[in-house]
Amino acid sequence: MSLPLDDKDALPDAVDHPLWRHAPESLRPFVQLARLDRPVGWWLLLLPCWESSALASAALHVAPNLWHLFLFFVGAVVMRGAGSTYNDFVDREIDAKVARTRGRPLAAGRVSPRAAIAFIVVQCLIGLAVLLSFNLYTIALGFLSPLIVLVYPFAKRFTSWPQAILGFAFAYGAMLGWTAQTGSLALPALLLYASCILWTIGFDTIYALQDIRDDAIAGVRSTARLFGAQVKRAVGGLYAGSVICAALAVYQIGGGIFAWLGVFAYAAHLAWQTSLTHEATPTPVALKLFRSNRDAGLLLFAGFLLQSLTYLL
């Protein structure tokens, strides 16, 4: 549910979240910086982790590791918050020029740059504590991911593919979930990583359709602007590639009826999204389609999870 329009500090893509409603006025800008009022972001960071963990469990013929799933949940929420705060810190001048983002706390001056940096540090420390709970291979791999995150806010200034940089960052958990279970990387995890990268480029292209006019004025590049009138075909191709890579990952672990059902449900959801995507997609529709990717990811995860649960029988 969207926030009431008379809430002067609410952002246009926020939802009516309890953390926003009950947060003290002084903390509300930090709720926005961490995107806690827009939970779809941490869902989209979390789901590759969960999918990978469940895929590894299915491959090993063991039950899902619930402790790992919980740790990934905590890590996704705080690291999504840290990344978003960093992104807003870097983009505060650009955000002030775009209608959808000019109300963000840093762009609007409701949070100082120094306070934002301190907030980033606190969130990263929590994320570090989560990472150190895993095995050494996962810890080493996890320390590489911030390098991608650091580049992302600048990508829109020099490439029309910032969504690809975001894809490499958001999909990174597709490797971590696997290594946390197995202690090493393998082809199924790499295929799932490729699937999640393509998925992220696709859904973030849909998201960028909301800002296509303002981005052109501000000189911000995006795949939405790059694809133009061919955006439906491009998103469809990205989503098709994502489905194929996910299917290959399932094939590599030996399949399983529930794993395959997850892939088919995921494919059907992405096909529905593609059917409603075009260059002039209205902003409310683009936002709805973007948010619906939580459900797309959950369908794939559910298939992998159910497949691993069969080994409890």
Side-chain angles (χ1 to χ4, degrees):
M1 182 186 297
S2 297
L3 280 162
L5 293 178
D6 59 354
D7 192 329
K8 63 181 178 62
D9 291 328
L11 297 175
D13 54 351
V15 297
D16 187 14
H17 197 283
L19 282 174
W20 174 264
R21 289 199 309 271
H22 301 298
E25 198 69 31
S26 60
L27 294 182
R28 278 188 163 192
F30 295 96
V31 170
Q32 291 178 318
L33 281 175
R35 304 291 198 272
L36 297 176
D37 57 335
R38 285 157 285 170
V40 69
W42 61 254
W43 270 113
L44 297 176
L45 186 63
L46 172 63
L47 284 165
C49 305
W50 276 9
E51 290 164 4
S52 182
S53 181
L55 183 69
S57 295
L60 295 171
H61 291 198
V62 298
N65 190 316
L66 299 182
W67 175 241
H68 284 182
L69 297 182
F70 171 74
L71 287 174
F72 283 127
F73 163 72
V74 175
V77 172
V78 297
M79 293 314 294
R80 166 59 174 165
S84 297
T85 306
Y86 170 69
N87 184 77
D88 285 5
F89 174 81
V90 173
D91 281 351
R92 58 193 185 278
E93 294 181 5
I94 292 178
D95 285 346
K97 301 175 183 177
V98 177
R100 186 178 59 83
T101 59
R102 64 170 57 109
R104 288 179 176 176
L106 279 161
R110 290 186 288 118
V111 171
S112 70
R114 179 176 294 182
I117 292 173
F119 190 45
I120 292 171
V121 171
V122 170
Q123 292 175 97
C124 285
L125 288 174
I126 299 172
L128 177 62
V130 169
L131 182 61
L132 293 177
S133 302
F134 294 112
N135 58 47
L136 289 177
Y137 197 107
T138 304
I139 292 170
L141 194 61
F143 270 115
L144 297 176
S145 61
L147 300 177
I148 307 172
V149 176
L150 290 172
V151 173
Y152 169 67
F154 302 99
K156 67 189 73 175
R157 295 163 168 82
F158 61 82
T159 178
S160 293
W161 288 88
Q163 282 70 28
I165 308 297
L166 183 70
F168 280 99
F170 258 57
Y172 205 81
M175 295 187 291
L176 298 180
W178 181 279
T179 61
Q181 279 284 74
T182 68
S184 63
L185 267 179
L187 184 57
L190 295 175
L191 287 167
L192 184 62
Y193 184 40
S195 172
C196 291
I197 290 171
L198 294 171
W199 175 46
T200 304
I201 299 172
F203 69 61
D204 203 51
T205 296
I206 293 174
Y207 186 76
L209 289 171
Q210 300 176 91
D211 301 327
I212 199 164
R213 292 182 181 177
D214 286 339
D215 283 351
I217 295 170
V220 173
R221 302 181 184 184
S222 70
T223 47
R225 290 186 61 200
L226 176 67
F227 297 149
Q230 299 301 314
V231 69
K232 179 191 288 287
R233 184 174 299 177
V235 168
L238 289 163
Y239 279 171
S242 177
V243 171
I244 290 170
C245 288
L248 289 173
V250 170
Y251 175 79
Q252 286 293 319
I253 68 162
I257 182 62
F258 292 111
W260 284 119
L261 284 174
V263 172
F264 293 145
Y266 176 66
H269 196 290
L270 298 188
W272 167 75
Q273 288 185 47
T274 303
S275 71
L276 297 177
T277 300
H278 52 84
E279 186 181 16
T281 301
T283 293
V285 176
L287 183 59
K288 175 185 176 181
L289 293 175
F290 167 73
R291 286 176 173 168
S292 76
N293 278 281
R294 181 204 64 175
D295 300 333
L298 281 173
L299 288 170
L300 187 59
F301 166 66
F304 296 166
L305 182 71
L306 289 172
Q307 191 62 49
S308 67
L309 285 172
T310 61
Y311 301 113
L312 286 175
L313 303 178

